[in-house]
Amino acid sequence: MGGYKGEWSFGLALTNMGSKVSYTRDNVVKDFIPINMGLGSALRLDLDQYNSLTFALDFNKLMIPTPIAAQIKDDNGNDVPNPEYDCCPKKNSRLQREITFFWNARIFRRCAGWI
């Protein structure tokens, strides 16, 4: 390329593959591991014995399901409530447990004199 010796390389990577994991002790709610797919290419040009120049391009895609939006656009472009969105978390849901954990942790830190 332009009189320079070069090397073209490319690659595909799937990382963080595996089953769902639980971040709490009760193991009731399991979350997706953030699986990532990457596709990239690079061109290295050897300018001389001691110097080289590399051009690289990389694309990444997070491969986990997208959360359901609370509002969606109608045909006129107006925001309307999404009928598939569950506005009220079920009793003992993950969100409720996380809020409870946060609240209890704050109370514990305050009682311990950390706040």
Side-chain angles (χ1 to χ4, degrees), residues 31-46:
D31 296 307
F32 288 98
I33 296 175
I35 299 170
N36 189 45
M37 180 177 71
L39 177 66
S41 182
L43 174 63
R44 189 187 79 213
L45 299 174
D46 294 326

Side-chain angles (χ1 to χ4, degrees), residues 19-31:
S19 60
K20 290 182 178 181
V21 295
S22 177
Y23 295 103
T24 60
R25 290 185 192 168
D26 59 8
N27 290 330
V28 174
V29 176
K30 295 199 180 241
D31 296 307

Side-chain angles (χ1 to χ4, degrees), residues 1-105:
M1 211 168 177
Y4 295 109
K5 186 177 178 183
E7 181 178 284
W8 186 269
S9 58
F10 61 93
L12 173 69
L14 293 171
T15 58
N16 289 342
M17 293 179 59
S19 60
K20 290 182 178 181
V21 295
S22 177
Y23 295 103
T24 60
R25 290 185 192 168
D26 59 8
N27 290 330
V28 174
V29 176
K30 295 199 180 241
D31 296 307
F32 288 98
I33 296 175
I35 299 170
N36 189 45
M37 180 177 71
L39 177 66
S41 182
L43 174 63
R44 189 187 79 213
L45 299 174
D46 294 326
L47 303 176
D48 58 29
Q49 183 180 359
Y50 302 104
N51 299 298
S52 65
L53 182 63
T54 303
F55 299 95
L57 181 64
D58 183 38
F59 297 99
N60 285 290
K61 171 72 175 137
L62 194 58
M63 305 295 289
I64 59 173
T66 304
I68 297 174
Q71 294 195 348
I72 56 175
K73 301 273 185 196
D74 65 4
D75 295 337
N76 299 325
N78 300 321
D79 288 335
V80 294
N82 187 350
E84 296 179 13
Y85 180 73
D86 183 12
C87 66
C88 307
K90 296 175 181 71
K91 188 172 177 110
N92 204 22
S93 69
R94 177 178 173 221
L95 177 62
Q96 186 180 20
R97 285 195 311 273
E98 287 177 358
I99 291 170
T100 303
F101 174 78
F102 176 74
W103 177 256
N104 291 339

